[in-house]
Amino acid sequence: MADEQMSTIGRCHLCKQTFGFTPATVMTIMMDPGTNLPLGMTISGAFREPTPEAAARAVEARVCPGCVDRVKRLMESMDRPVPTFDTWRKP
């Protein structure tokens, strides 16, 4: 029992619901509080190298397991290969 860590209750940055977690194992993302976007992300959704000022003001934000699963499913659906279609042929 001495090896177990205390659970904590916090709020998910994405869905805003409270959830219980162990601080050493919870998923966190670095957020820029000035833009409220993940560090290095632009408004259009592209990634770029963050400025030193943005990196200095970045804070860790916790994400619940449900949101992590939803993001993984979204990434899998976005990475699917493009379906191929047969070409039209005259009989």
Side-chain angles (χ1 to χ4, degrees), residues 53-76:
E53 294 84 15
R57 69 176 175 248
V59 295
E60 284 189 353
R62 295 178 214 92
V63 181
C64 70
C67 287
V68 171
D69 290 339
R70 283 191 287 277
V71 169
K72 284 181 182 177
R73 286 195 312 263
L74 176 66
M75 294 298 288
E76 289 171 1

Side-chain angles (χ1 to χ4, degrees), residues 6 9 16 25 32 43 50 65 69 72 86 90:
M6 292 283 292
I9 296 176
K16 308 297 186 220
T25 61
D32 182 356
I43 293 174
D69 290 339
K72 284 181 182 177
D86 292 335
K90 288 186 175 183

Side-chain angles (χ1 to χ4, degrees), residues 3-71:
D3 293 337
E4 293 181 22
Q5 293 186 357
M6 292 283 292
S7 288
T8 307
I9 296 176
R11 191 171 180 186
C12 176
H13 183 76
L14 299 175
C15 68
K16 308 297 186 220
Q17 292 186 2
T18 57
F19 68 104
F21 61 91
T22 305
T25 61
V26 70
M27 173 71 79
T28 59
I29 54 174
M30 295 302 290
M31 295 294 293
D32 182 356
T35 61
N36 202 26
L37 293 171
L39 190 62
M41 182 180 266
T42 64
I43 293 174
S44 64
F47 284 99
R48 59 171 164 70
E49 189 67 29
T51 63
E53 294 84 15
R57 69 176 175 248
V59 295
E60 284 189 353
R62 295 178 214 92
V63 181
C64 70
C67 287
V68 171
D69 290 339
R70 283 191 287 277
V71 169

